[in-house]
Every structure is written in C-alpha cells, then in structure tokens.
Amino acid sequence: MRRLTSTTIVTALGATALLVPASAAHAHEYEYDTVQTDIGVTAVGPEAATPGDAVTYTLKVTNWGRAATSTFVRLTLPTGTTDATHEDRPVVTNRLLVNNLPPGETDTFKVTAKIGSHGNAKDLPANFVVDGGEGDFPLYRDTNPSNDTVNVTTKNTKEVVGPRLSLKGVLKGIKQTGRTHVHKVTVTNTGDAPTERVQFTGSMHPKSKGVFGVKGVKDANGTFNSTGLSYSLPALKPGASRVITVGVRTTKQPGGFGGLYTAGAVGTDVDLDLRG
C-alpha cells in the first residue's frame, strides 16, 4: 500500500493548521489508512467555587501510542458557565485542538472560565473528552478508549437556602384620629427556590374600627372582616414580591393604628408587627 506524507488543511478553529494523514485529503487517489494510536486526557479543577468565580481547569493530553496524530478535546463545563478562554483566546464550539502530538508526548492546556450556577446544585460538574473525529476520515483510531474521558467535580459553595420570606411594611395617614389610614405590606421571597402558596394573615389593632378594603390580592383566595384578613397568595419565585394594601378605619380617640401580619409557606414563616 502506498503511503503519503502528512499534509496540512485549515480548520474552523481559528484557521489553525491541522496535521492529518495525507490519505484523508487524497482519498480519491489512495486507499485511506487510519492511524492507530492511544490518546488519553487527564484534568484537574477547583475543589470548590461560588457561581460567578473565575476558575481554571488544567488539562493534559498524552499520546500513549506509537504514531503522531492530532486530536480535539471536547469541553462540557457547568451549566451557565461563560467566557471560557485558552491562552487569552475564546474557546469556540467548546473544543480545543491538539495538533500533531508525537508518541510519548504530553500537551498541557489551561482553560479559564466564569463558572455558572448549575441551578444551585451541590456540585458543579465538568467533563473533558479527547476525540479523533467521526465519519469516513477520522484523525485516528483510538486503541484504548478507557482514558478518553475525565470528569471534574467542583463543590458549589453558594448557600442553597430554598424559599425564604420577608415582610416589610409602612403606615400612612396615622397623624389624624377619626380618619382612615393605610397599611402597606410587602411580601418578598428572598430565597433561592420558589415558594408554594403563601398564607398571608393580619390582625388589626384592638382599638381599630376594622378593615374596609384590601388591594394587591389578585389571584389570591381569602377574605377580610372588621378584625383582620386571611389570604392564600400564589407562589412567589426567588426575588419576587407582592404588595398588599389594607385600608383601615380609625377611632376618634388616639391609638388604634396598625396591625400584626404573618406570611408563611412550607419551610418558612415570618411576622411583622406594624402596630402603632
């Protein structure tokens, strides 16, 4: 069988010269004879990281076989990871090119990236695979696929708190007795996960003449009366808020302002004392 010397073709990865067997470029003239060798990869990364941190993965690609060849390293970084670079150049199509690696040699690559949240999971997994290509003309035939893949697991140091509620409120119109005043109460999910439905209740000051109207309870189930209110509010996404406005009649005597409010959901409960 006639063999050709290697030839150069241009790849999509930054127009890098990729050394492949010449038979791949001239298959119409010669029978294609794929190189057989053993390419393996190892990798290390950060033991722990907080989403948003810049991290570095160090990859080592080794040719354990007897023939020089080129290969690709396919990268699968934690979900949401951005700005992956190698030697100050962006990593395109999540692949790195290892060009013409001689037998017994190792190439080392450092990939930096801004790590993603991966849905606030406990671990942030990454995966690296050496790949000789597919189709009719692969770069090589790997004789030992067992070392083609490596996984790196980084612990997510971000606190996962689940749903968490907060209550804030203000009173308006309490300077004059004998008139109505308003309670403006904000319920917020400050946690990392959605709540289930939120039970929102309020008890008026004993000297109050009672509630006459409630706003901000659209899509909620519940009611109010002269002494208080109780509503089941729709679930709140992380960071979402609902503002509830309560109109209250006051007495002609000093006092009787405000109320005591509670917001609760599975795993979280919070009180707000808004009494004057």
Side-chain angles (χ1 to χ4, degrees), residues 9-20 59 61 69-75 86-87 89 91-101 107-109 131 139:
I9 61 174
V10 177
T11 75
L13 299 182
T16 303
L18 175 61
L19 201 62
V20 299
L59 317 178
V61 179
T69 189
S70 299
T71 188
F72 295 104
V73 183
R74 290 189 281 113
L75 287 66
H86 166 60
E87 294 183 346
R89 295 194 302 268
V91 177
V92 297
T93 65
N94 293 320
R95 293 198 303 176
L96 292 175
L97 170 65
V98 184
N99 195 16
N100 192 31
L101 185 62
D107 276 357
T108 300
F109 301 86
D131 182 7
L139 299 177

PDB file of all heavy atoms in Angstrom, residues 9-20 59 61 69-75 86-87 89 91-101 107-109 131 139:
ATOM      1  N   ILE A   9      -4.353  20.940   6.359  1.00  0.00           N
ATOM      2  CA  ILE A   9      -5.623  21.536   5.998  1.00  0.00           C
ATOM      3  C   ILE A   9      -5.966  22.570   7.053  1.00  0.00           C
ATOM      4  O   ILE A   9      -5.430  22.551   8.152  1.00  0.00           O
ATOM      5  CB  ILE A   9      -6.752  20.492   5.889  1.00  0.00           C
ATOM      6  CG1 ILE A   9      -6.956  19.799   7.241  1.00  0.00           C
ATOM      7  CG2 ILE A   9      -6.436  19.473   4.828  1.00  0.00           C
ATOM      8  CD1 ILE A   9      -8.138  18.870   7.221  1.00  0.00           C
ATOM      9  N   VAL A  10      -6.842  23.502   6.708  1.00  0.00           N
ATOM     10  CA  VAL A  10      -7.209  24.579   7.623  1.00  0.00           C
ATOM     11  C   VAL A  10      -8.507  24.223   8.306  1.00  0.00           C
ATOM     12  O   VAL A  10      -9.461  23.832   7.654  1.00  0.00           O
ATOM     13  CB  VAL A  10      -7.346  25.917   6.863  1.00  0.00           C
ATOM     14  CG1 VAL A  10      -7.802  27.011   7.819  1.00  0.00           C
ATOM     15  CG2 VAL A  10      -6.010  26.283   6.240  1.00  0.00           C
ATOM     16  N   THR A  11      -8.541  24.345   9.630  1.00  0.00           N
ATOM     17  CA  THR A  11      -9.742  24.008  10.386  1.00  0.00           C
ATOM     18  C   THR A  11     -10.531  25.251  10.720  1.00  0.00           C
ATOM     19  O   THR A  11     -10.067  26.374  10.542  1.00  0.00           O
ATOM     20  CB  THR A  11      -9.366  23.304  11.698  1.00  0.00           C
ATOM     21  OG1 THR A  11      -8.851  24.280  12.603  1.00  0.00           O
ATOM     22  CG2 THR A  11      -8.348  22.228  11.476  1.00  0.00           C
ATOM     23  N   ALA A  12     -11.737  25.030  11.278  1.00  0.00           N
ATOM     24  CA  ALA A  12     -12.591  26.146  11.684  1.00  0.00           C
ATOM     25  C   ALA A  12     -12.153  26.743  13.006  1.00  0.00           C
ATOM     26  O   ALA A  12     -12.647  27.776  13.409  1.00  0.00           O
ATOM     27  CB  ALA A  12     -14.041  25.681  11.797  1.00  0.00           C
ATOM     28  N   LEU A  13     -11.211  26.108  13.691  1.00  0.00           N
ATOM     29  CA  LEU A  13     -10.771  26.605  14.991  1.00  0.00           C
ATOM     30  C   LEU A  13      -9.655  27.613  14.792  1.00  0.00           C
ATOM     31  O   LEU A  13      -8.473  27.335  14.938  1.00  0.00           O
ATOM     32  CB  LEU A  13     -10.296  25.460  15.884  1.00  0.00           C
ATOM     33  CG  LEU A  13     -11.346  24.402  16.196  1.00  0.00           C
ATOM     34  CD1 LEU A  13     -10.760  23.356  17.127  1.00  0.00           C
ATOM     35  CD2 LEU A  13     -12.554  25.041  16.823  1.00  0.00           C
ATOM     36  N   GLY A  14     -10.025  28.838  14.428  1.00  0.00           N
ATOM     37  CA  GLY A  14      -9.047  29.898  14.283  1.00  0.00           C
ATOM     38  C   GLY A  14      -8.091  29.670  13.129  1.00  0.00           C
ATOM     39  O   GLY A  14      -6.957  30.140  13.156  1.00  0.00           O
ATOM     40  N   ALA A  15      -8.516  28.973  12.101  1.00  0.00           N
ATOM     41  CA  ALA A  15      -7.693  28.729  10.922  1.00  0.00           C
ATOM     42  C   ALA A  15      -6.353  28.097  11.294  1.00  0.00           C
ATOM     43  O   ALA A  15      -5.316  28.379  10.729  1.00  0.00           O
ATOM     44  CB  ALA A  15      -7.473  30.025  10.145  1.00  0.00           C
ATOM     45  N   THR A  16      -6.369  27.215  12.301  1.00  0.00           N
ATOM     46  CA  THR A  16      -5.150  26.536  12.745  1.00  0.00           C
ATOM     47  C   THR A  16      -4.788  25.431  11.757  1.00  0.00           C
ATOM     48  O   THR A  16      -5.651  24.718  11.265  1.00  0.00           O
ATOM     49  CB  THR A  16      -5.373  25.928  14.132  1.00  0.00           C
ATOM     50  OG1 THR A  16      -5.772  26.962  15.022  1.00  0.00           O
ATOM     51  CG2 THR A  16      -4.106  25.270  14.646  1.00  0.00           C
ATOM     52  N   ALA A  17      -3.506  25.305  11.485  1.00  0.00           N
ATOM     53  CA  ALA A  17      -3.064  24.236  10.594  1.00  0.00           C
ATOM     54  C   ALA A  17      -3.178  22.905  11.317  1.00  0.00           C
ATOM     55  O   ALA A  17      -2.579  22.716  12.373  1.00  0.00           O
ATOM     56  CB  ALA A  17      -1.629  24.482  10.164  1.00  0.00           C
ATOM     57  N   LEU A  18      -3.936  22.009  10.794  1.00  0.00           N
ATOM     58  CA  LEU A  18      -4.171  20.707  11.420  1.00  0.00           C
ATOM     59  C   LEU A  18      -3.466  19.630  10.608  1.00  0.00           C
ATOM     60  O   LEU A  18      -3.732  19.475   9.416  1.00  0.00           O
ATOM     61  CB  LEU A  18      -5.669  20.419  11.474  1.00  0.00           C
ATOM     62  CG  LEU A  18      -6.085  19.044  11.987  1.00  0.00           C
ATOM     63  CD1 LEU A  18      -5.607  18.850  13.415  1.00  0.00           C
ATOM     64  CD2 LEU A  18      -7.591  18.894  11.886  1.00  0.00           C
ATOM     65  N   LEU A  19      -2.569  18.910  11.254  1.00  0.00           N
ATOM     66  CA  LEU A  19      -1.793  17.879  10.570  1.00  0.00           C
ATOM     67  C   LEU A  19      -2.558  16.576  10.574  1.00  0.00           C
ATOM     68  O   LEU A  19      -2.856  16.032  11.630  1.00  0.00           O
ATOM     69  CB  LEU A  19      -0.448  17.707  11.273  1.00  0.00           C
ATOM     70  CG  LEU A  19       0.671  17.076  10.444  1.00  0.00           C
ATOM     71  CD1 LEU A  19       0.985  17.947   9.246  1.00  0.00           C
ATOM     72  CD2 LEU A  19       1.919  16.907  11.311  1.00  0.00           C
ATOM     73  N   VAL A  20      -2.918  16.061   9.414  1.00  0.00           N
ATOM     74  CA  VAL A  20      -3.657  14.810   9.285  1.00  0.00           C
ATOM     75  C   VAL A  20      -2.963  13.948   8.223  1.00  0.00           C
ATOM     76  O   VAL A  20      -2.179  14.448   7.417  1.00  0.00           O
ATOM     77  CB  VAL A  20      -5.127  15.066   8.864  1.00  0.00           C
ATOM     78  CG1 VAL A  20      -5.820  15.900   9.908  1.00  0.00           C
ATOM     79  CG2 VAL A  20      -5.207  15.744   7.511  1.00  0.00           C
ATOM     80  N   LEU A  59      -5.696  20.779  31.793  1.00  0.00           N
ATOM     81  CA  LEU A  59      -5.867  19.537  31.034  1.00  0.00           C
ATOM     82  C   LEU A  59      -4.507  19.060  30.534  1.00  0.00           C
ATOM     83  O   LEU A  59      -3.675  19.876  30.103  1.00  0.00           O
ATOM     84  CB  LEU A  59      -6.794  19.763  29.834  1.00  0.00           C
ATOM     85  CG  LEU A  59      -8.053  20.598  30.044  1.00  0.00           C
ATOM     86  CD1 LEU A  59      -8.797  20.743  28.736  1.00  0.00           C
ATOM     87  CD2 LEU A  59      -8.927  19.961  31.098  1.00  0.00           C
ATOM     88  N   VAL A  61      -3.087  16.225  27.752  1.00  0.00           N
ATOM     89  CA  VAL A  61      -3.404  15.270  26.688  1.00  0.00           C
ATOM     90  C   VAL A  61      -2.110  14.543  26.328  1.00  0.00           C
ATOM     91  O   VAL A  61      -1.107  15.173  25.975  1.00  0.00           O
ATOM     92  CB  VAL A  61      -3.990  15.974  25.460  1.00  0.00           C
ATOM     93  CG1 VAL A  61      -4.298  14.964  24.359  1.00  0.00           C
ATOM     94  CG2 VAL A  61      -5.246  16.750  25.848  1.00  0.00           C
ATOM     95  N   THR A  69      -0.321  12.093  15.910  1.00  0.00           N
ATOM     96  CA  THR A  69      -1.637  12.425  15.371  1.00  0.00           C
ATOM     97  C   THR A  69      -2.150  13.702  16.018  1.00  0.00           C
ATOM     98  O   THR A  69      -1.589  14.187  17.001  1.00  0.00           O
ATOM     99  CB  THR A  69      -2.641  11.282  15.608  1.00  0.00           C
ATOM    100  OG1 THR A  69      -3.853  11.563  14.888  1.00  0.00           O
ATOM    101  CG2 THR A  69      -2.967  11.150  17.087  1.00  0.00           C
ATOM    102  N   SER A  70      -3.190  14.240  15.443  1.00  0.00           N
ATOM    103  CA  SER A  70      -3.888  15.392  16.024  1.00  0.00           C
ATOM    104  C   SER A  70      -5.196  14.919  16.633  1.00  0.00           C
ATOM    105  O   SER A  70      -5.725  13.866  16.262  1.00  0.00           O
ATOM    106  CB  SER A  70      -4.162  16.450  14.949  1.00  0.00           C
ATOM    107  OG  SER A  70      -2.952  16.919  14.385  1.00  0.00           O
ATOM    108  N   THR A  71      -5.703  15.708  17.570  1.00  0.00           N
ATOM    109  CA  THR A  71      -6.965  15.349  18.220  1.00  0.00           C
ATOM    110  C   THR A  71      -7.666  16.613  18.686  1.00  0.00           C
ATOM    111  O   THR A  71      -7.095  17.713  18.666  1.00  0.00           O
ATOM    112  CB  THR A  71      -6.726  14.403  19.409  1.00  0.00           C
ATOM    113  OG1 THR A  71      -7.979  13.934  19.903  1.00  0.00           O
ATOM    114  CG2 THR A  71      -5.997  15.105  20.546  1.00  0.00           C
ATOM    115  N   PHE A  72      -8.896  16.454  19.104  1.00  0.00           N
ATOM    116  CA  PHE A  72      -9.660  17.529  19.725  1.00  0.00           C
ATOM    117  C   PHE A  72      -9.982  17.143  21.165  1.00  0.00           C
ATOM    118  O   PHE A  72     -10.104  15.969  21.490  1.00  0.00           O
ATOM    119  CB  PHE A  72     -10.986  17.771  18.991  1.00  0.00           C
ATOM    120  CG  PHE A  72     -10.820  18.275  17.578  1.00  0.00           C
ATOM    121  CD1 PHE A  72     -11.006  17.426  16.500  1.00  0.00           C
ATOM    122  CD2 PHE A  72     -10.495  19.599  17.339  1.00  0.00           C
ATOM    123  CE1 PHE A  72     -10.869  17.886  15.207  1.00  0.00           C
ATOM    124  CE2 PHE A  72     -10.351  20.069  16.046  1.00  0.00           C
ATOM    125  CZ  PHE A  72     -10.539  19.209  14.971  1.00  0.00           C
ATOM    126  N   VAL A  73     -10.122  18.163  22.016  1.00  0.00           N
ATOM    127  CA  VAL A  73     -10.667  17.959  23.356  1.00  0.00           C
ATOM    128  C   VAL A  73     -12.004  18.668  23.423  1.00  0.00           C
ATOM    129  O   VAL A  73     -12.087  19.884  23.209  1.00  0.00           O
ATOM    130  CB  VAL A  73      -9.737  18.501  24.460  1.00  0.00           C
ATOM    131  CG1 VAL A  73     -10.328  18.187  25.831  1.00  0.00           C
ATOM    132  CG2 VAL A  73      -8.345  17.910  24.336  1.00  0.00           C
ATOM    133  N   ARG A  74     -13.058  17.904  23.655  1.00  0.00           N
ATOM    134  CA  ARG A  74     -14.394  18.485  23.798  1.00  0.00           C
ATOM    135  C   ARG A  74     -14.644  18.830  25.265  1.00  0.00           C
ATOM    136  O   ARG A  74     -14.441  18.008  26.157  1.00  0.00           O
ATOM    137  CB  ARG A  74     -15.463  17.525  23.279  1.00  0.00           C
ATOM    138  CG  ARG A  74     -15.431  17.356  21.771  1.00  0.00           C
ATOM    139  CD  ARG A  74     -16.637  16.568  21.263  1.00  0.00           C
ATOM    140  NE  ARG A  74     -16.458  15.137  21.463  1.00  0.00           N
ATOM    141  CZ  ARG A  74     -17.175  14.413  22.293  1.00  0.00           C
ATOM    142  NH1 ARG A  74     -18.096  14.979  23.058  1.00  0.00           N
ATOM    143  NH2 ARG A  74     -16.962  13.112  22.407  1.00  0.00           N
ATOM    144  N   LEU A  75     -15.122  20.053  25.520  1.00  0.00           N
ATOM    145  CA  LEU A  75     -15.334  20.549  26.868  1.00  0.00           C
ATOM    146  C   LEU A  75     -16.825  20.654  27.163  1.00  0.00           C
ATOM    147  O   LEU A  75     -17.583  21.211  26.368  1.00  0.00           O
ATOM    148  CB  LEU A  75     -14.726  21.942  27.056  1.00  0.00           C
ATOM    149  CG  LEU A  75     -13.211  22.087  27.151  1.00  0.00           C
ATOM    150  CD1 LEU A  75     -12.529  21.706  25.852  1.00  0.00           C
ATOM    151  CD2 LEU A  75     -12.842  23.518  27.532  1.00  0.00           C
ATOM    152  N   HIS A  86      -8.635  30.057  26.382  1.00  0.00           N
ATOM    153  CA  HIS A  86      -7.369  29.320  26.435  1.00  0.00           C
ATOM    154  C   HIS A  86      -6.312  30.208  25.800  1.00  0.00           C
ATOM    155  O   HIS A  86      -6.468  30.646  24.653  1.00  0.00           O
ATOM    156  CB  HIS A  86      -7.481  27.988  25.683  1.00  0.00           C
ATOM    157  CG  HIS A  86      -6.155  27.354  25.406  1.00  0.00           C
ATOM    158  ND1 HIS A  86      -5.285  26.988  26.402  1.00  0.00           N
ATOM    159  CD2 HIS A  86      -5.541  27.040  24.228  1.00  0.00           C
ATOM    160  CE1 HIS A  86      -4.204  26.462  25.870  1.00  0.00           C
ATOM    161  NE2 HIS A  86      -4.329  26.482  24.548  1.00  0.00           N
ATOM    162  N   GLU A  87      -5.259  30.523  26.550  1.00  0.00           N
ATOM    163  CA  GLU A  87      -4.207  31.425  26.075  1.00  0.00           C
ATOM    164  C   GLU A  87      -4.810  32.743  25.588  1.00  0.00           C
ATOM    165  O   GLU A  87      -4.461  33.255  24.512  1.00  0.00           O
ATOM    166  CB  GLU A  87      -3.386  30.761  24.974  1.00  0.00           C
ATOM    167  CG  GLU A  87      -2.584  29.558  25.457  1.00  0.00           C
ATOM    168  CD  GLU A  87      -1.724  28.951  24.360  1.00  0.00           C
ATOM    169  OE1 GLU A  87      -1.946  29.295  23.175  1.00  0.00           O
ATOM    170  OE2 GLU A  87      -0.859  28.137  24.681  1.00  0.00           O
ATOM    171  N   ARG A  89      -7.539  33.402  24.338  1.00  0.00           N
ATOM    172  CA  ARG A  89      -8.424  33.331  23.176  1.00  0.00           C
ATOM    173  C   ARG A  89      -9.692  32.572  23.545  1.00  0.00           C
ATOM    174  O   ARG A  89      -9.620  31.575  24.286  1.00  0.00           O
ATOM    175  CB  ARG A  89      -7.731  32.634  21.994  1.00  0.00           C
ATOM    176  CG  ARG A  89      -6.540  33.386  21.439  1.00  0.00           C
ATOM    177  CD  ARG A  89      -6.125  32.823  20.090  1.00  0.00           C
ATOM    178  NE  ARG A  89      -5.789  31.418  20.162  1.00  0.00           N
ATOM    179  CZ  ARG A  89      -4.551  30.965  20.370  1.00  0.00           C
ATOM    180  NH1 ARG A  89      -3.556  31.806  20.536  1.00  0.00           N
ATOM    181  NH2 ARG A  89      -4.324  29.660  20.400  1.00  0.00           N
ATOM    182  N   VAL A  91     -12.646  29.967  23.661  1.00  0.00           N
ATOM    183  CA  VAL A  91     -12.785  28.573  23.254  1.00  0.00           C
ATOM    184  C   VAL A  91     -14.054  28.474  22.412  1.00  0.00           C
ATOM    185  O   VAL A  91     -15.160  28.609  22.921  1.00  0.00           O
ATOM    186  CB  VAL A  91     -12.875  27.644  24.473  1.00  0.00           C
ATOM    187  CG1 VAL A  91     -13.093  26.200  24.025  1.00  0.00           C
ATOM    188  CG2 VAL A  91     -11.607  27.751  25.321  1.00  0.00           C
ATOM    189  N   VAL A  92     -13.891  28.260  21.102  1.00  0.00           N
ATOM    190  CA  VAL A  92     -15.038  28.216  20.203  1.00  0.00           C
ATOM    191  C   VAL A  92     -15.543  26.789  20.072  1.00  0.00           C
ATOM    192  O   VAL A  92     -14.777  25.821  20.159  1.00  0.00           O
ATOM    193  CB  VAL A  92     -14.681  28.784  18.812  1.00  0.00           C
ATOM    194  CG1 VAL A  92     -14.306  30.254  18.922  1.00  0.00           C
ATOM    195  CG2 VAL A  92     -13.560  28.004  18.167  1.00  0.00           C
ATOM    196  N   THR A  93     -16.832  26.667  19.893  1.00  0.00           N
ATOM    197  CA  THR A  93     -17.527  25.370  19.721  1.00  0.00           C
ATOM    198  C   THR A  93     -17.173  24.375  20.822  1.00  0.00           C
ATOM    199  O   THR A  93     -17.269  23.173  20.625  1.00  0.00           O
ATOM    200  CB  THR A  93     -17.237  24.742  18.339  1.00  0.00           C
ATOM    201  OG1 THR A  93     -15.841  24.412  18.248  1.00  0.00           O
ATOM    202  CG2 THR A  93     -17.626  25.688  17.219  1.00  0.00           C
ATOM    203  N   ASN A  94     -16.715  24.881  21.986  1.00  0.00           N
ATOM    204  CA  ASN A  94     -16.394  24.025  23.139  1.00  0.00           C
ATOM    205  C   ASN A  94     -15.363  22.944  22.794  1.00  0.00           C
ATOM    206  O   ASN A  94     -15.415  21.834  23.314  1.00  0.00           O
ATOM    207  CB  ASN A  94     -17.656  23.377  23.702  1.00  0.00           C
ATOM    208  CG  ASN A  94     -18.583  24.401  24.316  1.00  0.00           C
ATOM    209  OD1 ASN A  94     -18.139  25.334  24.983  1.00  0.00           O
ATOM    210  ND2 ASN A  94     -19.871  24.229  24.108  1.00  0.00           N
ATOM    211  N   ARG A  95     -14.407  23.296  21.923  1.00  0.00           N
ATOM    212  CA  ARG A  95     -13.372  22.319  21.554  1.00  0.00           C
ATOM    213  C   ARG A  95     -11.995  22.980  21.548  1.00  0.00           C
ATOM    214  O   ARG A  95     -11.846  24.157  21.204  1.00  0.00           O
ATOM    215  CB  ARG A  95     -13.643  21.726  20.169  1.00  0.00           C
ATOM    216  CG  ARG A  95     -14.880  20.861  20.088  1.00  0.00           C
ATOM    217  CD  ARG A  95     -14.848  19.975  18.858  1.00  0.00           C
ATOM    218  NE  ARG A  95     -14.707  20.730  17.616  1.00  0.00           N
ATOM    219  CZ  ARG A  95     -14.588  20.164  16.414  1.00  0.00           C
ATOM    220  NH1 ARG A  95     -14.558  18.849  16.303  1.00  0.00           N
ATOM    221  NH2 ARG A  95     -14.471  20.899  15.337  1.00  0.00           N
ATOM    222  N   LEU A  96     -10.982  22.211  21.926  1.00  0.00           N
ATOM    223  CA  LEU A  96      -9.589  22.616  21.812  1.00  0.00           C
ATOM    224  C   LEU A  96      -8.893  21.694  20.823  1.00  0.00           C
ATOM    225  O   LEU A  96      -9.146  20.488  20.796  1.00  0.00           O
ATOM    226  CB  LEU A  96      -8.882  22.516  23.164  1.00  0.00           C
ATOM    227  CG  LEU A  96      -9.304  23.500  24.266  1.00  0.00           C
ATOM    228  CD1 LEU A  96      -8.576  23.147  25.560  1.00  0.00           C
ATOM    229  CD2 LEU A  96      -8.997  24.926  23.865  1.00  0.00           C
ATOM    230  N   LEU A  97      -8.000  22.258  20.035  1.00  0.00           N
ATOM    231  CA  LEU A  97      -7.239  21.475  19.074  1.00  0.00           C
ATOM    232  C   LEU A  97      -5.870  21.120  19.643  1.00  0.00           C
ATOM    233  O   LEU A  97      -5.153  21.979  20.143  1.00  0.00           O
ATOM    234  CB  LEU A  97      -7.059  22.264  17.779  1.00  0.00           C
ATOM    235  CG  LEU A  97      -6.082  21.685  16.755  1.00  0.00           C
ATOM    236  CD1 LEU A  97      -6.592  20.348  16.240  1.00  0.00           C
ATOM    237  CD2 LEU A  97      -5.847  22.672  15.623  1.00  0.00           C
ATOM    238  N   VAL A  98      -5.519  19.842  19.582  1.00  0.00           N
ATOM    239  CA  VAL A  98      -4.172  19.376  19.902  1.00  0.00           C
ATOM    240  C   VAL A  98      -3.555  18.940  18.579  1.00  0.00           C
ATOM    241  O   VAL A  98      -3.953  17.930  18.000  1.00  0.00           O
ATOM    242  CB  VAL A  98      -4.199  18.208  20.904  1.00  0.00           C
ATOM    243  CG1 VAL A  98      -2.782  17.801  21.289  1.00  0.00           C
ATOM    244  CG2 VAL A  98      -5.001  18.591  22.142  1.00  0.00           C
ATOM    245  N   ASN A  99      -2.578  19.689  18.102  1.00  0.00           N
ATOM    246  CA  ASN A  99      -2.082  19.488  16.742  1.00  0.00           C
ATOM    247  C   ASN A  99      -0.791  18.685  16.717  1.00  0.00           C
ATOM    248  O   ASN A  99       0.202  19.041  17.348  1.00  0.00           O
ATOM    249  CB  ASN A  99      -1.863  20.850  16.081  1.00  0.00           C
ATOM    250  CG  ASN A  99      -1.699  20.733  14.577  1.00  0.00           C
ATOM    251  OD1 ASN A  99      -2.031  19.704  13.986  1.00  0.00           O
ATOM    252  ND2 ASN A  99      -1.191  21.785  13.963  1.00  0.00           N
ATOM    253  N   ASN A 100      -0.808  17.561  15.983  1.00  0.00           N
ATOM    254  CA  ASN A 100       0.383  16.752  15.702  1.00  0.00           C
ATOM    255  C   ASN A 100       1.142  16.397  16.981  1.00  0.00           C
ATOM    256  O   ASN A 100       2.293  16.792  17.176  1.00  0.00           O
ATOM    257  CB  ASN A 100       1.310  17.490  14.722  1.00  0.00           C
ATOM    258  CG  ASN A 100       2.396  16.558  14.182  1.00  0.00           C
ATOM    259  OD1 ASN A 100       2.184  15.360  14.049  1.00  0.00           O
ATOM    260  ND2 ASN A 100       3.552  17.134  13.877  1.00  0.00           N
ATOM    261  N   LEU A 101       0.503  15.633  17.844  1.00  0.00           N
ATOM    262  CA  LEU A 101       1.107  15.229  19.110  1.00  0.00           C
ATOM    263  C   LEU A 101       1.964  13.972  18.889  1.00  0.00           C
ATOM    264  O   LEU A 101       1.442  12.913  18.553  1.00  0.00           O
ATOM    265  CB  LEU A 101       0.010  14.951  20.135  1.00  0.00           C
ATOM    266  CG  LEU A 101       0.460  14.632  21.561  1.00  0.00           C
ATOM    267  CD1 LEU A 101       1.224  15.805  22.162  1.00  0.00           C
ATOM    268  CD2 LEU A 101      -0.746  14.280  22.419  1.00  0.00           C
ATOM    269  N   ASP A 107       0.732  17.391  25.941  1.00  0.00           N
ATOM    270  CA  ASP A 107       0.446  18.823  25.841  1.00  0.00           C
ATOM    271  C   ASP A 107      -0.440  19.229  27.018  1.00  0.00           C
ATOM    272  O   ASP A 107      -1.382  18.498  27.381  1.00  0.00           O
ATOM    273  CB  ASP A 107      -0.276  19.154  24.531  1.00  0.00           C
ATOM    274  CG  ASP A 107       0.703  19.342  23.380  1.00  0.00           C
ATOM    275  OD1 ASP A 107       1.924  19.277  23.636  1.00  0.00           O
ATOM    276  OD2 ASP A 107       0.245  19.562  22.244  1.00  0.00           O
ATOM    277  N   THR A 108      -0.124  20.374  27.605  1.00  0.00           N
ATOM    278  CA  THR A 108      -0.878  20.878  28.750  1.00  0.00           C
ATOM    279  C   THR A 108      -1.652  22.122  28.345  1.00  0.00           C
ATOM    280  O   THR A 108      -1.104  23.024  27.685  1.00  0.00           O
ATOM    281  CB  THR A 108       0.052  21.201  29.930  1.00  0.00           C
ATOM    282  OG1 THR A 108       0.744  20.014  30.324  1.00  0.00           O
ATOM    283  CG2 THR A 108      -0.746  21.722  31.125  1.00  0.00           C
ATOM    284  N   PHE A 109      -2.918  22.192  28.750  1.00  0.00           N
ATOM    285  CA  PHE A 109      -3.781  23.323  28.432  1.00  0.00           C
ATOM    286  C   PHE A 109      -4.415  23.850  29.721  1.00  0.00           C
ATOM    287  O   PHE A 109      -4.806  23.070  30.586  1.00  0.00           O
ATOM    288  CB  PHE A 109      -4.904  22.907  27.477  1.00  0.00           C
ATOM    289  CG  PHE A 109      -4.422  22.344  26.173  1.00  0.00           C
ATOM    290  CD1 PHE A 109      -4.106  20.995  26.059  1.00  0.00           C
ATOM    291  CD2 PHE A 109      -4.271  23.147  25.059  1.00  0.00           C
ATOM    292  CE1 PHE A 109      -3.654  20.462  24.866  1.00  0.00           C
ATOM    293  CE2 PHE A 109      -3.828  22.625  23.860  1.00  0.00           C
ATOM    294  CZ  PHE A 109      -3.513  21.281  23.760  1.00  0.00           C
ATOM    295  N   ASP A 131     -11.132  13.399  21.239  1.00  0.00           N
ATOM    296  CA  ASP A 131     -11.978  12.945  20.143  1.00  0.00           C
ATOM    297  C   ASP A 131     -11.172  12.990  18.850  1.00  0.00           C
ATOM    298  O   ASP A 131     -10.670  14.049  18.461  1.00  0.00           O
ATOM    299  CB  ASP A 131     -13.204  13.857  20.050  1.00  0.00           C
ATOM    300  CG  ASP A 131     -14.173  13.446  18.962  1.00  0.00           C
ATOM    301  OD1 ASP A 131     -13.972  12.383  18.355  1.00  0.00           O
ATOM    302  OD2 ASP A 131     -15.142  14.192  18.729  1.00  0.00           O
ATOM    303  N   LEU A 139      -9.408  11.341  12.428  1.00  0.00           N
ATOM    304  CA  LEU A 139      -7.986  11.659  12.555  1.00  0.00           C
ATOM    305  C   LEU A 139      -7.183  10.435  12.957  1.00  0.00           C
ATOM    306  O   LEU A 139      -6.027  10.290  12.558  1.00  0.00           O
ATOM    307  CB  LEU A 139      -7.796  12.771  13.590  1.00  0.00           C
ATOM    308  CG  LEU A 139      -8.484  14.102  13.279  1.00  0.00           C
ATOM    309  CD1 LEU A 139      -8.272  15.085  14.421  1.00  0.00           C
ATOM    310  CD2 LEU A 139      -7.949  14.678  11.965  1.00  0.00           C
TER     311      LEU A 139
END
